[in-house]
PDB file of all heavy atoms in Angstrom:
ATOM      1  N   TYR P   1     133.185 134.047  84.115  1.00 91.00           N
ATOM      2  CA  TYR P   1     133.745 135.368  84.373  1.00 91.00           C
ATOM      3  C   TYR P   1     133.080 135.948  85.606  1.00 91.00           C
ATOM      4  O   TYR P   1     131.869 136.193  85.618  1.00 91.00           O
ATOM      5  CB  TYR P   1     133.528 136.267  83.158  1.00 91.00           C
ATOM      6  CG  TYR P   1     134.038 137.682  83.308  1.00 91.00           C
ATOM      7  CD1 TYR P   1     135.321 137.939  83.749  1.00 91.00           C
ATOM      8  CD2 TYR P   1     133.210 138.770  82.997  1.00 91.00           C
ATOM      9  CE1 TYR P   1     135.792 139.235  83.870  1.00 91.00           C
ATOM     10  CE2 TYR P   1     133.675 140.072  83.116  1.00 91.00           C
ATOM     11  CZ  TYR P   1     134.970 140.295  83.559  1.00 91.00           C
ATOM     12  OH  TYR P   1     135.433 141.582  83.678  1.00 91.00           O
ATOM     13  N   ILE P   2     133.848 136.132  86.671  1.00 91.00           N
ATOM     14  CA  ILE P   2     133.338 136.695  87.920  1.00 91.00           C
ATOM     15  C   ILE P   2     133.626 138.184  87.927  1.00 91.00           C
ATOM     16  O   ILE P   2     134.780 138.610  87.841  1.00 91.00           O
ATOM     17  CB  ILE P   2     133.987 135.998  89.128  1.00 91.00           C
ATOM     18  CG1 ILE P   2     133.565 134.526  89.148  1.00 91.00           C
ATOM     19  CG2 ILE P   2     133.590 136.686  90.429  1.00 91.00           C
ATOM     20  CD1 ILE P   2     134.188 133.720  90.257  1.00 91.00           C
ATOM     21  N   PHE P   3     132.547 138.976  88.037  1.00 88.00           N
ATOM     22  CA  PHE P   3     132.680 140.428  87.897  1.00 88.00           C
ATOM     23  C   PHE P   3     131.632 141.124  88.769  1.00 88.00           C
ATOM     24  O   PHE P   3     130.483 140.690  88.812  1.00 88.00           O
ATOM     25  CB  PHE P   3     132.467 140.815  86.429  1.00 88.00           C
ATOM     26  CG  PHE P   3     132.429 142.294  86.189  1.00 88.00           C
ATOM     27  CD1 PHE P   3     133.605 142.989  85.975  1.00 88.00           C
ATOM     28  CD2 PHE P   3     131.221 142.988  86.187  1.00 88.00           C
ATOM     29  CE1 PHE P   3     133.574 144.360  85.760  1.00 88.00           C
ATOM     30  CE2 PHE P   3     131.185 144.355  85.980  1.00 88.00           C
ATOM     31  CZ  PHE P   3     132.374 145.042  85.758  1.00 88.00           C
ATOM     32  N   PRO P   4     132.007 142.199  89.474  1.00 91.00           N
ATOM     33  CA  PRO P   4     133.379 142.702  89.671  1.00 91.00           C
ATOM     34  C   PRO P   4     134.123 141.843  90.689  1.00 91.00           C
ATOM     35  O   PRO P   4     133.496 141.133  91.481  1.00 91.00           O
ATOM     36  CB  PRO P   4     133.143 144.112  90.200  1.00 91.00           C
ATOM     37  CG  PRO P   4     131.836 144.011  90.923  1.00 91.00           C
ATOM     38  CD  PRO P   4     131.003 143.017  90.157  1.00 91.00           C
ATOM     39  N   ALA P   5     135.420 141.905  90.680  1.00 96.00           N
ATOM     40  CA  ALA P   5     136.214 141.071  91.571  1.00 96.00           C
ATOM     41  C   ALA P   5     137.582 141.699  91.801  1.00 96.00           C
ATOM     42  O   ALA P   5     138.004 142.595  91.069  1.00 96.00           O
ATOM     43  CB  ALA P   5     136.373 139.672  90.978  1.00 96.00           C
ATOM     44  N   ARG P   6     138.240 141.199  92.835  1.00 97.00           N
ATOM     45  CA  ARG P   6     139.631 141.565  93.104  1.00 97.00           C
ATOM     46  C   ARG P   6     140.498 140.323  92.907  1.00 97.00           C
ATOM     47  O   ARG P   6     140.026 139.187  93.099  1.00 97.00           O
ATOM     48  CB  ARG P   6     139.785 142.105  94.524  1.00 97.00           C
ATOM     49  CG  ARG P   6     139.036 143.404  94.746  1.00 97.00           C
ATOM     50  CD  ARG P   6     139.120 143.857  96.178  1.00 97.00           C
ATOM     51  NE  ARG P   6     140.417 144.470  96.500  1.00 97.00           N
ATOM     52  CZ  ARG P   6     140.535 145.674  97.062  1.00 97.00           C
ATOM     53  NH1 ARG P   6     139.457 146.390  97.339  1.00 97.00           N
ATOM     54  NH2 ARG P   6     141.718 146.154  97.351  1.00 97.00           N
ATOM     55  N   HIS P   7     141.733 140.555  92.540  1.00 98.00           N
ATOM     56  CA  HIS P   7     142.695 139.478  92.350  1.00 98.00           C
ATOM     57  C   HIS P   7     143.553 139.404  93.612  1.00 98.00           C
ATOM     58  O   HIS P   7     144.354 140.292  93.884  1.00 98.00           O
ATOM     59  CB  HIS P   7     143.565 139.764  91.120  1.00 98.00           C
ATOM     60  CG  HIS P   7     144.526 138.674  90.779  1.00 98.00           C
ATOM     61  ND1 HIS P   7     144.839 138.352  89.485  1.00 98.00           N
ATOM     62  CD2 HIS P   7     145.264 137.841  91.543  1.00 98.00           C
ATOM     63  CE1 HIS P   7     145.720 137.366  89.473  1.00 98.00           C
ATOM     64  NE2 HIS P   7     145.991 137.047  90.722  1.00 98.00           N
ATOM     65  N   VAL P   8     143.366 138.340  94.388  1.00 98.00           N
ATOM     66  CA  VAL P   8     144.111 138.150  95.636  1.00 98.00           C
ATOM     67  C   VAL P   8     144.856 136.832  95.566  1.00 98.00           C
ATOM     68  O   VAL P   8     144.277 135.807  95.188  1.00 98.00           O
ATOM     69  CB  VAL P   8     143.168 138.168  96.854  1.00 98.00           C
ATOM     70  CG1 VAL P   8     143.940 137.895  98.145  1.00 98.00           C
ATOM     71  CG2 VAL P   8     142.438 139.512  96.947  1.00 98.00           C
ATOM     72  N   GLU P   9     146.136 136.849  95.927  1.00 98.00           N
ATOM     73  CA  GLU P   9     146.932 135.632  95.863  1.00 98.00           C
ATOM     74  C   GLU P   9     147.605 135.353  97.200  1.00 98.00           C
ATOM     75  O   GLU P   9     147.833 136.268  98.000  1.00 98.00           O
ATOM     76  CB  GLU P   9     147.972 135.725  94.748  1.00 98.00           C
ATOM     77  CG  GLU P   9     148.972 136.848  94.896  1.00 98.00           C
ATOM     78  CD  GLU P   9     149.869 137.002  93.677  1.00 98.00           C
ATOM     79  OE1 GLU P   9     149.411 136.704  92.557  1.00 98.00           O
ATOM     80  OE2 GLU P   9     151.038 137.419  93.851  1.00 98.00           O
ATOM     81  N   LEU P  10     147.909 134.066  97.435  1.00 98.00           N
ATOM     82  CA  LEU P  10     148.535 133.628  98.680  1.00 98.00           C
ATOM     83  C   LEU P  10     149.899 133.017  98.388  1.00 98.00           C
ATOM     84  O   LEU P  10     150.027 132.149  97.518  1.00 98.00           O
ATOM     85  CB  LEU P  10     147.655 132.597  99.396  1.00 98.00           C
ATOM     86  CG  LEU P  10     146.234 133.041  99.763  1.00 98.00           C
ATOM     87  CD1 LEU P  10     145.523 131.912 100.476  1.00 98.00           C
ATOM     88  CD2 LEU P  10     146.250 134.286 100.635  1.00 98.00           C
ATOM     89  N   GLN P  11     150.916 133.467  99.123  1.00 98.00           N
ATOM     90  CA  GLN P  11     152.282 132.965  98.963  1.00 98.00           C
ATOM     91  C   GLN P  11     152.515 131.763  99.877  1.00 98.00           C
ATOM     92  O   GLN P  11     152.318 131.837 101.081  1.00 98.00           O
ATOM     93  CB  GLN P  11     153.292 134.056  99.305  1.00 98.00           C
ATOM     94  CG  GLN P  11     154.746 133.609  99.279  1.00 98.00           C
ATOM     95  CD  GLN P  11     155.215 133.290  97.867  1.00 98.00           C
ATOM     96  OE1 GLN P  11     155.212 134.153  96.997  1.00 98.00           O
ATOM     97  NE2 GLN P  11     155.623 132.047  97.635  1.00 98.00           N
ATOM     98  N   ILE P  12     152.941 130.650  99.261  1.00 98.00           N
ATOM     99  CA  ILE P  12     153.145 129.403  99.989  1.00 98.00           C
ATOM    100  C   ILE P  12     154.620 129.005  99.948  1.00 98.00           C
ATOM    101  O   ILE P  12     155.301 129.194  98.937  1.00 98.00           O
ATOM    102  CB  ILE P  12     152.303 128.266  99.377  1.00 98.00           C
ATOM    103  CG1 ILE P  12     150.797 128.564  99.513  1.00 98.00           C
ATOM    104  CG2 ILE P  12     152.637 126.923 100.015  1.00 98.00           C
ATOM    105  CD1 ILE P  12     150.273 128.523 100.917  1.00 98.00           C
ATOM    106  N   LEU P  13     155.103 128.429 101.037  1.00 98.00           N
ATOM    107  CA  LEU P  13     156.392 127.749 101.077  1.00 98.00           C
ATOM    108  C   LEU P  13     156.163 126.367 101.671  1.00 98.00           C
ATOM    109  O   LEU P  13     155.509 126.236 102.717  1.00 98.00           O
ATOM    110  CB  LEU P  13     157.393 128.505 101.948  1.00 98.00           C
ATOM    111  CG  LEU P  13     158.189 129.655 101.326  1.00 98.00           C
ATOM    112  CD1 LEU P  13     159.031 130.339 102.409  1.00 98.00           C
ATOM    113  CD2 LEU P  13     159.097 129.155 100.210  1.00 98.00           C
ATOM    114  N   ALA P  14     156.696 125.326 101.022  1.00 98.00           N
ATOM    115  CA  ALA P  14     156.526 123.960 101.518  1.00 98.00           C
ATOM    116  C   ALA P  14     157.815 123.181 101.292  1.00 98.00           C
ATOM    117  O   ALA P  14     158.491 123.377 100.279  1.00 98.00           O
ATOM    118  CB  ALA P  14     155.357 123.269 100.807  1.00 98.00           C
ATOM    119  N   ASP P  15     158.154 122.302 102.240  1.00 98.00           N
ATOM    120  CA  ASP P  15     159.373 121.503 102.090  1.00 98.00           C
ATOM    121  C   ASP P  15     159.031 120.036 101.887  1.00 98.00           C
ATOM    122  O   ASP P  15     157.857 119.641 101.938  1.00 98.00           O
ATOM    123  CB  ASP P  15     160.315 121.718 103.284  1.00 98.00           C
ATOM    124  CG  ASP P  15     159.721 121.252 104.618  1.00 98.00           C
ATOM    125  OD1 ASP P  15     158.903 120.313 104.612  1.00 98.00           O
ATOM    126  OD2 ASP P  15     160.080 121.822 105.656  1.00 98.00           O
ATOM    127  N   GLU P  16     160.060 119.226 101.672  1.00 97.00           N
ATOM    128  CA  GLU P  16     159.844 117.807 101.389  1.00 97.00           C
ATOM    129  C   GLU P  16     159.605 116.994 102.660  1.00 97.00           C
ATOM    130  O   GLU P  16     159.410 115.776 102.599  1.00 97.00           O
ATOM    131  CB  GLU P  16     161.052 117.238 100.646  1.00 97.00           C
ATOM    132  CG  GLU P  16     162.354 117.303 101.404  1.00 97.00           C
ATOM    133  CD  GLU P  16     163.546 116.871 100.570  1.00 97.00           C
ATOM    134  OE1 GLU P  16     163.576 117.156  99.364  1.00 97.00           O
ATOM    135  OE2 GLU P  16     164.446 116.239 101.146  1.00 97.00           O
ATOM    136  N   HIS P  17     159.611 117.659 103.816  1.00 97.00           N
ATOM    137  CA  HIS P  17     159.398 116.976 105.090  1.00 97.00           C
ATOM    138  C   HIS P  17     157.960 117.116 105.587  1.00 97.00           C
ATOM    139  O   HIS P  17     157.665 116.770 106.735  1.00 97.00           O
ATOM    140  CB  HIS P  17     160.368 117.530 106.133  1.00 97.00           C
ATOM    141  CG  HIS P  17     161.797 117.476 105.707  1.00 97.00           C
ATOM    142  ND1 HIS P  17     162.573 116.334 105.773  1.00 97.00           N
ATOM    143  CD2 HIS P  17     162.604 118.434 105.148  1.00 97.00           C
ATOM    144  CE1 HIS P  17     163.785 116.578 105.306  1.00 97.00           C
ATOM    145  NE2 HIS P  17     163.831 117.840 104.920  1.00 97.00           N
ATOM    146  N   GLY P  18     157.089 117.655 104.745  1.00 97.00           N
ATOM    147  CA  GLY P  18     155.676 117.773 105.102  1.00 97.00           C
ATOM    148  C   GLY P  18     155.295 119.077 105.765  1.00 97.00           C
ATOM    149  O   GLY P  18     154.157 119.233 106.215  1.00 97.00           O
ATOM    150  N   ASN P  19     156.229 120.018 105.846  1.00 98.00           N
ATOM    151  CA  ASN P  19     155.931 121.325 106.436  1.00 98.00           C
ATOM    152  C   ASN P  19     155.479 122.303 105.354  1.00 98.00           C
ATOM    153  O   ASN P  19     156.025 122.307 104.254  1.00 98.00           O
ATOM    154  CB  ASN P  19     157.169 121.896 107.128  1.00 98.00           C
ATOM    155  CG  ASN P  19     157.749 120.950 108.154  1.00 98.00           C
ATOM    156  OD1 ASN P  19     157.040 120.509 109.054  1.00 98.00           O
ATOM    157  ND2 ASN P  19     159.027 120.613 108.028  1.00 98.00           N
ATOM    158  N   ALA P  20     154.515 123.128 105.676  1.00 98.00           N
ATOM    159  CA  ALA P  20     154.053 124.162 104.742  1.00 98.00           C
ATOM    160  C   ALA P  20     153.541 125.357 105.531  1.00 98.00           C
ATOM    161  O   ALA P  20     152.942 125.201 106.601  1.00 98.00           O
ATOM    162  CB  ALA P  20     152.951 123.627 103.828  1.00 98.00           C
ATOM    163  N   VAL P  21     153.804 126.550 105.018  1.00 98.00           N
ATOM    164  CA  VAL P  21     153.311 127.777 105.633  1.00 98.00           C
ATOM    165  C   VAL P  21     152.798 128.704 104.541  1.00 98.00           C
ATOM    166  O   VAL P  21     153.197 128.600 103.378  1.00 98.00           O
ATOM    167  CB  VAL P  21     154.409 128.512 106.436  1.00 98.00           C
ATOM    168  CG1 VAL P  21     154.870 127.686 107.617  1.00 98.00           C
ATOM    169  CG2 VAL P  21     155.571 128.892 105.544  1.00 98.00           C
ATOM    170  N   CYS P  22     151.913 129.610 104.930  1.00 98.00           N
ATOM    171  CA  CYS P  22     151.436 130.661 104.041  1.00 98.00           C
ATOM    172  C   CYS P  22     151.985 131.981 104.555  1.00 98.00           C
ATOM    173  O   CYS P  22     151.804 132.315 105.732  1.00 98.00           O
ATOM    174  CB  CYS P  22     149.909 130.697 103.995  1.00 98.00           C
ATOM    175  SG  CYS P  22     149.247 132.009 102.935  1.00 98.00           S
ATOM    176  N   LEU P  23     152.659 132.722 103.675  1.00 98.00           N
ATOM    177  CA  LEU P  23     153.247 134.006 104.043  1.00 98.00           C
ATOM    178  C   LEU P  23     152.305 135.163 103.756  1.00 98.00           C
ATOM    179  O   LEU P  23     152.735 136.276 103.460  1.00 98.00           O
ATOM    180  CB  LEU P  23     154.576 134.211 103.302  1.00 98.00           C
ATOM    181  CG  LEU P  23     155.672 133.191 103.615  1.00 98.00           C
ATOM    182  CD1 LEU P  23     156.939 133.520 102.838  1.00 98.00           C
ATOM    183  CD2 LEU P  23     155.962 133.131 105.100  1.00 98.00           C
ATOM    184  N   GLY P  24     151.008 134.890 103.853  1.00 98.00           N
ATOM    185  CA  GLY P  24     150.026 135.950 103.722  1.00 98.00           C
ATOM    186  C   GLY P  24     149.505 136.143 102.314  1.00 98.00           C
ATOM    187  O   GLY P  24     149.808 135.381 101.396  1.00 98.00           O
ATOM    188  N   ASP P  25     148.702 137.186 102.156  1.00 98.00           N
ATOM    189  CA  ASP P  25     148.031 137.482 100.903  1.00 98.00           C
ATOM    190  C   ASP P  25     148.624 138.721 100.238  1.00 98.00           C
ATOM    191  O   ASP P  25     149.240 139.559 100.896  1.00 98.00           O
ATOM    192  CB  ASP P  25     146.540 137.700 101.136  1.00 98.00           C
ATOM    193  CG  ASP P  25     146.277 138.854 102.099  1.00 98.00           C
ATOM    194  OD1 ASP P  25     146.587 138.707 103.285  1.00 98.00           O
ATOM    195  OD2 ASP P  25     145.783 139.914 101.654  1.00 98.00           O
ATOM    196  N   ARG P  26     148.422 138.805  98.930  1.00 98.00           N
ATOM    197  CA  ARG P  26     148.788 139.995  98.158  1.00 98.00           C
ATOM    198  C   ARG P  26     147.589 140.383  97.297  1.00 98.00           C
ATOM    199  O   ARG P  26     146.961 139.526  96.680  1.00 98.00           O
ATOM    200  CB  ARG P  26     149.990 139.713  97.239  1.00 98.00           C
ATOM    201  CG  ARG P  26     151.271 139.390  97.963  1.00 98.00           C
ATOM    202  CD  ARG P  26     152.435 139.255  96.979  1.00 98.00           C
ATOM    203  NE  ARG P  26     152.349 138.075  96.147  1.00 98.00           N
ATOM    204  CZ  ARG P  26     153.119 136.985  96.301  1.00 98.00           C
ATOM    205  NH1 ARG P  26     154.022 136.930  97.274  1.00 98.00           N
ATOM    206  NH2 ARG P  26     152.992 135.959  95.485  1.00 98.00           N
TER     207      ARG P  26
END
């Protein structure tokens, strides 16, 4: 249990051709 902390997530999009990008954090 990590405390105190913030919950931060990263949005990913990836295709079957080996391309991937991150659309930032939330």
Side-chain angles (χ1 to χ4, degrees):
Y1 179 50
I2 295 177
F3 174 87
R6 295 176 77 127
H7 184 144
V8 177
E9 61 187 31
L10 302 181
Q11 175 68 61
I12 296 291
L13 275 175
D15 63 29
E16 61 186 36
H17 306 280
N19 305 305
V21 295
C22 179
L23 298 181
D25 60 291
R26 295 185 290 254

